[in-house]
Amino acid sequence: MSDRVGVVGAGATGARPREMVALALALTASAFVVWAGLGMLRDTLDSWDLGLGPTPYWLPGHALQLYLVTPAVAFATSLLLLGPGLILSAVFGREKGAAAWLVSGLAISLLVHIAVTTAFEFATGITAKGTGYLMLVAAMNIGCLAVAGVRLSAGARSRLALEGQGGDLIAGAILFWLCLVLFAPKFYWENFSGDGSGSLQFARLYIAELWPFWTPEAGPIRNAPGLTMVLFVIPESWFVRLWGEWEFSVRAPLLMYLALLYPVLAQLIRTGRNHAVIAISDATLIVGALLLYVLANVYSGGYHIYFGDSPMPAARETLSLICFLGYALFFIEDRRWLMLATGVMTHLVIPTGGLWLLMWPAAVFLTFRPIPWARLIVAAGIVGVAGFISVILPKIIVGVGLPFPGDEFGADNIVTRLRFVTFADWGRFAFWAVPAGILPALFLLTWPKQDRIARALTLAALGYFLFFYFQAYRVLLHHFIPAMIPPLVIMYRSELWTRHQPALRIAAAVLIFVSVWLSWPRQMKMHGFERVIGQHVVTEGPIFESAERGDGDRFRGFDEKALDIAHILLGNLFKTTYGEDDPKERFFGAPLVWWYYSEFPKPEGQVINYVLKPLDEATELDGTLFDQKDGYGLFIRDMGLYEDHAGTKLPVDTGAAIYVTPRTVIFGHGAKRGERFVFDIVPPIKRLLGMNQN
């Protein structure tokens, strides 16, 4: 059987009205669960003090709410939000297995949500939030069901072919639930990191303006998101609209992406292999590997000096895996429109998405025989589309007067990152191998026993790994995420796995446990000091109080200038420095996090020590003027308390020791000699080209 078809088309005949009925019933039930459970979900998220107790991971007195009802609402929300795309994908296009259905459903849902929400808000002037947004999403689903019903009644056939793949959907749902239950306090209550709160602000911007890029008024945050990392903002905005401005609202998309990722991996393992079946034991190992992946990247990923958070990078990079691997799957199955869709998504999800669009066709060219020229030409066209997005689209955006995408990953920054190289950071091999269980990465060495799909994935994953391995600076665990998971497919497609399954299953299980031990954080408890600082802060003035709070809102309106003022003035309060030992000696962090927690209700008797307000409204009661910007001042009432806060010493790098990256590597620059050799490639290139090196 051709690898274009795999097992998807096996036994697919006739219309399947029962599948559409089942989907309609599931979406109806999801809408009811979300409507009935929204209040309890918000109550769960408001019970953050439970996370500060001695056993935040096991709270039997709240088990029903924390481990059953809230996960059920979260899963139902995900299904309902994906519903429009799942419905339309089920009745349009070619026949689809579970993976193609889910990924295409995600792509279509992105378009439907953007179009319908934009039209609704332009037509009514109402920003859809909370129960109002739930009604709008329900209307989207009803409209799409009506379209599907008309199409099927006219004689069209269902495009779903899910025989033998129900287990993939069940495994994805189990993975969703297990991940949330095992790491519940980390999802529900953990303080935001800087990247986490930034993720929320991106969603707030999109909700308020229906455009995901900042004006210069926003200040430092305007550098992100860029055009090639904007995709994740759209799905996270769905959760923020519906649930409100909670930490979990921008963390929950990770759970949804994991539920989508499992079927994609399963189909890549099966495609082109007659009668290939993923046994329950193998499914268990894959789920275990993905839970390990979450443990490593949520607790030890990112730039925050004290702890890890999931919206960025883990959620964003997991979405990139769906895009990357979906693109590879649709290439293999010769689904060209879906290649285009996932190719564009790949380019828009993370800055190195374009690298995958180049490496996958190159890997196919080297490993597929006969060479699939027609599909490679399509792939080349998609690279051209990506080039248009990067080069021409920004000019169009400027031409029509819209805010320009951030330039955090602009050409100058990328050149600077690539300029300095190193060769002996051996710990980066652990970054790649350990978060998926070690054994999958070792299977890259089994080239003679690999088929052409596994070989193409081997080359693509290896190329992606090496791209970051040699960069001397600003490389952390999360940069290797797109290379971590493909080895799972390589391992299960291997001839060696087929021949020696019992022994290799035992080895895989043992190495997953070893990897869990290596990935175990040095501190699992929740972190609350950022919330403490926020409770001591109050903000006043028109930019901070531009509107009444809407359904689920934490902030009092949205004004981009408020982000600039809060970022600069609160940032100067506890100023970030970049010495290796600086965070061990004093407190600093992310000012937008403190601003976020300042908007929570103050505990009874709470002391206010930091007042941010217009200078012309200040009184002696506001304290000493500490700093000012654009007519706003930051006042401190008790300098002794301020010194106590600034001198607070928190545990640093509380993730797993194996994943710690020194700050000199994260923020370093320049060529170096000695213990860590860093080579500047620019001087020899200039010499080679005969250029002046001054």
Side-chain angles (χ1 to χ4, degrees), residues 127-458:
T127 300
K129 295 181 180 179
T131 53
Y133 184 61
L134 175 59
M135 294 174 64
L136 182 62
V137 173
M140 292 184 209
N141 281 276
I142 292 170
C144 291
L145 283 170
V147 170
V150 170
R151 185 166 172 79
L152 292 175
S153 65
R157 296 175 181 271
S158 167
R159 299 301 194 247
L160 298 183
L162 304 180
E163 291 85 355
Q165 297 167 78
D168 297 350
L169 302 177
I170 293 171
I174 291 173
L175 177 59
F176 184 110
W177 179 77
L178 278 175
C179 187
L180 182 51
V181 169
L182 291 175
F183 307 122
K186 193 72 171 176
F187 279 93
Y188 294 152
W189 305 312
E190 176 68 281
N191 279 186
F192 266 139
S193 68
D195 281 344
S197 68
S199 184
L200 175 65
Q201 298 300 340
F202 299 161
R204 293 185 68 231
L205 169 67
Y206 181 69
I207 292 168
E209 305 293 341
L210 295 174
W211 184 250
F213 306 118
W214 304 93
T215 68
E217 285 282 292
I221 198 174
R222 73 181 297 263
N223 289 325
L227 192 58
T228 56
M229 60 169 283
V230 72
L231 184 69
F232 83 104
V233 176
I234 309 302
E236 74 171 11
S237 73
W238 304 342
F239 291 86
V240 176
R241 281 184 184 272
L242 181 54
W243 294 347
E245 294 170 346
W246 301 94
E247 301 95 332
F248 187 43
S249 297
V250 290
R251 292 169 180 162
L254 172 59
L255 303 169
M256 181 174 74
Y257 300 148
L258 289 168
L260 299 179
L261 180 59
Y262 180 93
V264 174
L265 293 174
Q267 184 58 26
L268 278 169
I269 291 168
R270 286 192 300 255
T271 191
R273 302 169 67 210
N274 287 332
H275 311 299
V277 175
I278 297 178
I280 293 178
S281 56
D282 294 330
T284 302
L285 289 172
I286 295 171
V287 168
L290 292 175
L291 290 172
L292 164 63
Y293 158 85
V294 172
L295 173 70
N297 287 288
V298 169
Y299 285 82
S300 304
Y303 294 90
H304 198 58
I305 51 179
Y306 301 118
F307 57 89
D309 199 359
S310 57
M312 290 195 298
R316 183 188 64 191
E317 260 75 353
T318 304
L319 176 59
S320 78
L321 281 168
I322 295 170
C323 299
F324 290 10
L325 296 177
Y327 176 74
L329 176 63
F330 298 145
F331 183 102
I332 294 165
E333 296 184 346
D334 199 9
R335 299 177 183 270
R336 298 181 187 182
W337 284 109
L338 290 180
M339 281 178 60
L340 175 61
T342 49
V344 171
M345 291 166 67
T346 291
H347 188 57
L348 296 178
V349 67
I350 58 174
T352 49
L355 184 63
W356 183 269
L357 295 180
L358 292 172
M359 290 191 306
W360 174 255
V364 167
F365 177 80
L366 294 173
T367 57
F368 277 45
R369 293 297 181 270
I371 297 173
W373 288 110
R375 283 176 278 172
L376 288 175
I377 291 171
V378 172
I382 292 171
V383 172
V385 172
F388 173 86
I389 291 171
S390 291
V391 178
I392 306 300
L393 187 57
K395 299 182 186 300
I396 296 174
I397 291 172
V398 172
V400 299
L402 289 170
F404 189 73
D407 62 353
E408 181 181 3
F409 295 99
D412 291 343
N413 289 333
I414 292 175
V415 169
T416 299
R417 291 174 68 117
L418 297 178
R419 174 175 180 173
F420 300 103
V421 300
T422 189
F423 303 97
D425 274 359
W426 308 117
R428 292 178 177 178
F429 284 97
F431 288 10
W432 183 21
V434 175
I438 301 175
L439 188 61
L442 296 178
F443 264 80
L444 271 69
L445 303 175
T446 64
W447 180 273
K449 302 298 182 181
Q450 295 177 7
D451 62 14
R452 61 182 188 169
I453 293 174
R455 287 181 174 182
L457 285 170
T458 292

Side-chain angles (χ1 to χ4, degrees), residues 98-109:
W101 177 45
L102 294 174
V103 177
S104 61
L106 171 62
I108 296 170
S109 289

